[in-house]
Each structure stands twice: as C-alpha cells, then as structure tokens.
Amino acid sequence: MLAWTALPAAVGDGVRSRRAYVAAVEERAEYAERTREQEARQRVAAERIRIARELHDVVAHHIALINAQAGVAVHLVQRRPEQLVTALEGIRDASRSALEELRVTVGLLRQSDDPQAPRDPMPGLAQVPELLASFERVGLAVRHLRHGMAQPLAPAVDLAAYRIVQEALTNVRKHAGVDHARLCLCYRPRWLTITVEDDGRAGARESHSGSGHGLIGMRERAASVGGKLQAAVRPEGGFTVTADLPLRPGAAIVAPVGRDVEERWA
C-alpha cells in the first residue's frame, strides 16, 4: 500500500522536474538568441561608425584641398593666368586621390565572394610625405620632425596614425588661419606620439577647438587601437593635437603621461 501510495507522488515530482528542466533550457536558448541579436546590432553599429569615419576622413581632406585650389585658381585667372595650370593640376590630383581612396574604402564593403577585391593598400605613415606635399600645394607648409628610430606599426595603428595626421592638418588648413604648421612623430619602445601644432589667431582658435566630427573621429580612431588623443588650445596661441598610439594594439597597458609638448619644438 505504501508503494502504491508513493508512486503517484514520485511520478508527479519527476514530471515537474522534467518541465522545470525544459523551461530552463528554453529560457537559456531565448537568452542566447537575444544576446546574439544584441551583439549583431552592436557589430552593425560599430561597422557603420567605422565606415562613416573612413569616408569622412577621405572626403573632408580632399574636398578641403580642392576648395583651396579652386580659390587659388580664381585668384590666378585674374592676376597671374600663367600659373593657372599649376592650380588646376592640383585640383586634378586631389580629386583623383579622393576617387581612389573612395574606391578602396567602398571596395572594403564587398562580400568575400565578389569577383573583384580592393588591390590598393590602405594609407599609412609611409604616405605622409605625399600628404604634406598636397598641403604645401594649397599654401600650408608643414615642418616635419621625427624623434627616435622609426618602427614598423600594426596595420590598424598605421592607418589610424595617418588618418589622425591627415585630419589634424586639414583642421589647421580650414580653421587656424595660418600658412604653416608643425608635425612631430616621436617613437618610443612601445608607443608612437603624434603631435600637430599651429600658431593660429585667437579668433580662429575658438572655432578650431570645438567638438566637431573631426576631433570626435580622431579620438575614436586613437581609442580603437588602444591609444588616446588630446586636443587643446596653446597658452601662447594656436592649437595642439597629441595622440599616443601603441605600436601594437594591446601591447602597452598604460599610456605615457607627463609629456612636455613644448620640449619637442625646442
């Protein structure tokens, strides 16, 4: 009698345990599905930000150069028409570079099974001399200094360094109201420090020190490879952008602090 009495209770307890187990498994599956969807949305958002940042860097830099060259051409056609060809060649070269970089950037969005893939390498610090020459053609002379022995950079760091230099100098050309700037690349055992300075007028500094997309993009680029970027008005006038980037993402934990930027230009 005892066995027959306990049997229904045991069966009921087993059924309840089975139902609880199935419910827990279903809950875990639903949680995993929600987590996958959230991670997918985060990846999509991060990719959109990366693409927007890349397109901004390409378009803003080259359009600024084309605009400056067009202004020079308008001035020359009235006063020195013999130099108009040089200005038009600068516009042609800047627009060609913009189209090439846009082609490479858009090519990165291709699917892996697409028949054609981007063949041109992404820009890096090796292209800085050409970049400075393009600024010089539009009236911005850049004094280029280097401290320490140049070291190979990870591809992501190399691209971030180039884009930061490009955007910082584009901001100088657009906002500082000066015809010269300074660029310093300081190599340390684990870090690369990039400094871009100008001596802009007081009136131009206020707009230059704003929190526009250019500064936000530079900070995001530095952070994406484990570095950091600071931008500030110089006490004696002008503006300074300083970026500390690890030579290898994740290789250094603590960023260098306590630098004296003025010593670099002594």
Side-chain angles (χ1 to χ4, degrees), residues 39-128:
E39 290 179 353
R41 286 195 297 268
Q42 290 176 348
R43 289 195 188 100
V44 169
E47 185 65 11
R48 286 162 122 182
I49 293 173
R50 185 189 70 81
I51 295 170
R53 185 167 55 231
E54 196 68 34
L55 291 175
H56 169 271
D57 290 345
V58 172
V59 174
H61 166 66
H62 289 293
I63 294 302
L65 294 183
I66 292 171
N67 180 70
Q69 288 281 19
V72 172
V74 171
H75 175 77
L76 291 177
V77 75
Q78 298 174 352
R79 301 190 178 184
R80 287 180 287 177
E82 68 279 1
Q83 297 183 10
L84 181 61
V85 174
T86 303
L88 293 177
E89 288 176 348
I91 294 175
R92 179 198 62 194
D93 295 341
S95 59
R96 180 185 298 164
S97 298
L99 290 174
E100 285 297 318
E101 292 199 36
L102 282 174
R103 183 183 65 80
V104 172
T105 302
V106 174
L108 294 175
L109 305 180
R110 290 180 177 271
Q111 300 295 327
S112 59
D113 56 351
D114 283 349
Q116 294 182 355
R119 293 170 293 180
D120 297 341
M122 294 301 290
L125 291 183
Q127 284 74 44
V128 164

Side-chain angles (χ1 to χ4, degrees), residues 113-189:
D113 56 351
D114 283 349
Q116 294 182 355
R119 293 170 293 180
D120 297 341
M122 294 301 290
L125 291 183
Q127 284 74 44
V128 164
E130 291 83 355
L131 178 67
L132 300 186
S134 69
F135 280 107
E136 188 172 358
R137 287 195 295 269
V138 297
L140 179 65
V142 182
R143 180 187 176 196
H144 184 196
L145 301 177
R146 188 183 72 192
H147 294 313
M149 182 176 296
Q151 302 181 42
L153 305 177
V157 178
D158 201 18
L159 175 60
Y162 178 86
R163 292 304 189 198
I164 288 172
V165 172
Q166 182 186 57
E167 180 64 26
L169 291 175
T170 300
N171 285 344
V172 173
R173 181 65 183 83
K174 292 168 60 178
H175 302 296
V178 295
D179 57 2
H180 61 279
R182 298 179 292 275
L183 166 66
C184 180
L185 303 177
C186 182
Y187 290 89
R188 294 183 173 85

Side-chain angles (χ1 to χ4, degrees), residues 195-207:
T195 304
V196 177
E197 288 186 347
D198 65 75
D199 301 317
R201 299 187 303 271
R205 283 180 295 170
E206 297 178 359
S207 62

